Amino acid sequence: MSLTGLFLITFLLVHLIGNLQLLAGDEGQAFNIYSDFMANNPLIQGISKGLYLFILLHAIQGLMMAWKNKKAKTSKYAGGRGSGSWASKNMALLGTLVLAFMFIHMGDFWYKIKFDSNSINAVSYAGLDHEIKDVYSKVMETFKNPIFVVAYLIGLIALAFHLGHGFQSAFQTLGLRHKKYTPAINFVGLAFAILIPLGFAILPLYMFFN
Amino acid sequence: MKLTLKIWRQKNQSSKGAFESYQVEADEHMSFLEMLDVLNEQLISEKKSPVAFEHDCREGICGTCNLVIDGRPHGPSQGTTTCQLHMRSFKDGDTIHIEPFRARSFPIIKDLVVDRTAFDRIIQSGGYVSVNTGQAQDGNAIPIEGNTAAKAFDSATCIGCGACVAACPNGSAMLFTSAKVQHLGLLPQGKVEHKSRVQKMVAQMDKEGFGFCSNVGACEAECPKEISIDNIAAMNRGFVGSMFSTEE
Ligand code: HEM
Ligand code: SF4
Ligand code: FES
């Protein structure tokens, strides 16, 4: 749980840095070249297979755990909602929202880019000897639709809360707790949980309003 | 002060329970258990069955007075057991919900009394020192660093009440088990068997059907002895270490 979670966290960071090239202001040249590289580099392709496996592993283990934990508790108490943050008690719900979001997201882009080449135009840039897919225009087009923008924002808010608990929780699970370092981990975790989803949220909002 | 009590009444493990309403006249100097004694006297004189609840020392050391008061194990005040809770924490006219600990591994025996023998079996699985430690030692015969001694003592203050399990939305026993593991494992006599102890006690805890820890932290917030979740992290560290160890 903690190891797969931390792997997914690293993925999020890399994914966001890559996607921020959408904002480069060069009509998508940098982003399209980057997409082409990611789609054809054997090492990246290998890692992405591992990523799919880890997402499934994390989701299955999380849901199984949540189900067993529900059985370990007989009922709620009358009067009073109990201690502990809301996010920490709703990790399975938040995770499921994130998973649902990921399916929509993969259907929008990954599936269309990989298997539905009619929906994507090709572009050529000076210095490249072959045409590449114009993923940038596809992203632009998708985020002109307000329904997608709203769905993305819901998914990202769920992600923010999931990370808000999950980041520091992973360290505690691994036994990495320390008087000096734990406050720093909590701080970084909070910053990560706010900044990463915010970074992702800028993309659909920017595309929608431009 | 006049109070309305909503108390969970349940005949036995298999019957279905429900809240029942009672009126009681209490004094603010009474402890919470004394207030319940007053109610029970009243019920007995009315030839009704008194409310079953557990208690023994009434001074916060035995860990039997386990009630959930308005949704909080051991009630509203921080770092105290139910027997140390006084009626001055409540106001005249208050309605108070009183119910038993709720967790699959703590089945209800009657009313507010639950069966906590799962904890005994966790202790039996490894919560002991089986090496010969000889006679009682002279004060400073075994040098133990002050900070370590203090930590071991803090862990040892766990009274095994089970409020951590009751507070946890997963019904997890990690706080109790880790307190016991750390209490023994930090000291030289207990260190010898630390790795096998972690393995055995965690295995027994899982076997009893307690849930998995997801670091909600409700246990630490409700523990009457304020046992820290530092213990859980330390036990996790010990568990990971013991998996890579070649020792039996
Ligand atoms: C990018 C996506 C995700 C990231 C970065 C992520 C990250 C994390 C992290 C770091 C933890 C804490 C692990 C621990 O304390 O041991 C966690 C816990 C959890 N995750 Fe995720 N997760 C993601 C997606 C999902 C999905 C798709 C699901 C399920 C449908 C899910 C379900 C859970 C559950 C139930 C927990 C609670 C387990 C626990 O508290 O230990 N997560 N996640
Ligand atoms: S850790 Fe605290 S709440 Fe849990 S059994 Fe020990 S004293 Fe009770
Ligand atoms: S009766 Fe012993 S701790 Fe409360």
Side-chain angles (χ1 to χ4, degrees):
Chain A
M1 208 74 248
S2 50
L3 295 175
T4 50
L6 287 176
F7 178 81
L8 295 180
I9 282 175
T10 334
F11 153 73
L12 282 180
L13 190 63
V14 176
H15 192 48
L16 177 61
I17 293 171
N19 289 357
L20 284 177
Q21 298 176 59
L22 282 164
L23 305 179
D26 58 356
E27 301 287 298
Q29 180 170 355
F31 182 73
N32 281 338
I33 293 174
Y34 160 75
S35 303
D36 185 60
F37 167 76
M38 295 300 263
N40 294 309
N41 183 299
L43 179 66
I44 300 289
Q45 285 304 301
I47 293 175
S48 76
K49 299 291 177 307
L51 176 65
Y52 304 148
L53 184 76
F54 279 166
I55 292 173
L56 284 181
L57 207 66
H58 183 84
I60 293 170
Q61 210 191 0
L63 291 174
M64 271 174 52
M65 216 164 97
W67 183 67
K68 283 194 178 160
N69 283 348
K70 221 176 170 68
K71 283 208 310 186
K73 189 88 199 160
T74 40
S75 70
K76 292 212 165 97
Y77 298 114
R81 53 175 276 288
S83 316
S85 73
W86 178 84
S88 70
K89 293 189 252 183
N90 290 281
M91 287 298 274
L93 172 71
L94 291 167
T96 307
L97 281 175
V98 173
L99 192 67
F101 163 76
M102 285 199 279
F103 277 117
I104 299 176
H105 176 60
M106 298 287 275
D108 285 349
F109 298 123
W110 177 80
Y111 177 81
K112 292 206 171 123
I113 294 164
K114 259 210 144 81
F115 301 109
D116 187 7
S117 38
N118 292 337
S119 71
I120 308 229
N121 300 323
V123 287
S124 51
Y125 295 110
L128 278 184
D129 55 1
H130 61 286
E131 289 197 323
I132 59 174
K133 290 174 180 169
D134 188 7
V135 180
Y136 175 78
S137 303
K138 178 78 201 153
V139 177
M140 285 291 269
E141 178 196 319
T142 305
F143 290 138
K144 284 294 172 212
N145 184 342
I147 297 177
F148 278 109
V149 176
V150 171
Y152 271 65
L153 292 182
I154 294 175
L156 289 169
I157 290 170
L159 179 65
F161 280 96
H162 196 81
L163 289 173
H165 176 67
F167 193 101
Q168 49 82 30
S169 173
F171 289 89
Q172 167 80 359
T173 301
L174 294 171
L176 303 173
R177 191 181 176 85
H178 188 279
K179 260 202 186 64
K180 256 209 308 263
Y181 305 128
T182 297
I185 291 172
N186 291 347
F187 178 77
V188 173
L190 189 66
F192 195 91
I194 295 170
L195 293 179
I196 294 285
L198 196 66
F200 278 112
I202 287 173
L203 301 172
L205 288 173
Y206 175 81
M207 307 244 151
F208 183 70
F209 289 111
N210 265 285
Chain B
M1 58 201 296
K2 275 195 166 49
L3 298 166
T4 306
L5 306 177
K6 305 247 186 223
I7 303 182
W8 187 263
R9 302 301 306 261
Q10 182 169 337
K11 238 197 175 74
N12 52 42
Q13 195 180 324
S14 50
S15 65
K16 243 184 102 162
F19 281 105
E20 276 183 38
S21 215
Y22 301 93
Q23 304 292 328
V24 71
E25 180 78 47
D27 186 288
E28 62 176 14
H29 301 299
M30 285 177 178
S31 77
F32 200 83
L33 298 185
E34 283 166 339
M35 183 276 294
L36 287 178
D37 291 338
V38 170
L39 172 70
N40 275 346
E41 291 293 333
Q42 202 174 299
L43 289 175
I44 290 166
S45 66
E46 292 167 9
K47 301 230 172 341
K48 288 184 187 150
S49 120
V51 178
F53 65 92
E54 256 192 301
H55 58 95
D56 188 15
C57 71
R58 297 205 177 198
E59 56 178 17
I61 55 169
C62 74
T64 56
C65 54
N66 299 312
L67 304 179
V68 175
I69 301 160
D70 286 337
R72 299 188 60 183
H74 294 296
S77 50
Q78 184 65 30
T80 51
T81 54
T82 300
C83 58
Q84 297 168 301
L85 175 65
H86 284 77
M87 295 317 292
R88 53 181 171 269
S89 305
F90 300 89
K91 293 191 309 290
D92 184 43
D94 273 358
T95 298
I96 308 172
H97 282 86
I98 309 170
E99 55 190 313
F101 282 2
R102 305 218 189 255
R104 181 79 58 204
S105 309
F106 287 169
I108 295 174
I109 297 173
K110 185 176 165 52
D111 296 340
L112 304 171
V113 181
V114 298
D115 178 355
R116 289 177 297 122
T117 48
F119 268 14
D120 299 342
R121 290 186 292 273
I122 293 177
I123 294 291
Q124 282 157 10
S125 72
Y128 49 77
V129 171
S130 58
V131 293
N132 190 348
T133 57
Q135 293 289 316
Q137 300 288 328
D138 267 356
N140 294 315
I142 305 174
I144 301 170
E145 199 253 323
N147 200 15
T148 309
K151 270 196 204 160
F153 183 80
D154 279 348
S155 305
T157 58
C158 164
I159 53 176
C161 64
C164 42
V165 175
C168 178
N170 307 328
S172 169
M174 286 288 273
L175 193 62
F176 164 76
T177 308
S178 65
K180 298 303 168 193
V181 162
Q182 287 310 105
H183 153 208
L184 294 168
L186 283 168
L187 298 174
Q189 297 93 331
K191 214 170 225 154
V192 188
E193 292 162 287
H194 181 62
K195 285 177 183 158
S196 64
R197 179 182 304 115
V198 174
Q199 290 279 343
K200 285 188 212 156
M201 290 181 76
V202 169
Q204 186 64 33
M205 179 179 78
D206 290 343
K207 210 168 116 195
E208 296 291 345
F210 292 105
F212 299 104
C213 176
S214 61
N215 306 320
V216 170
C219 52
E220 179 185 60
E222 299 299 344
C223 171
K225 298 296 154 187
E226 301 183 307
I227 301 288
S228 159
I229 56 173
D230 288 357
N231 287 283
I232 298 182
M235 180 168 81
N236 286 346
R237 206 157 53 231
F239 188 84
V240 173
S242 70
M243 285 197 299
F244 295 108
S245 163
T246 50
E247 275 172 42
E248 280 294 305

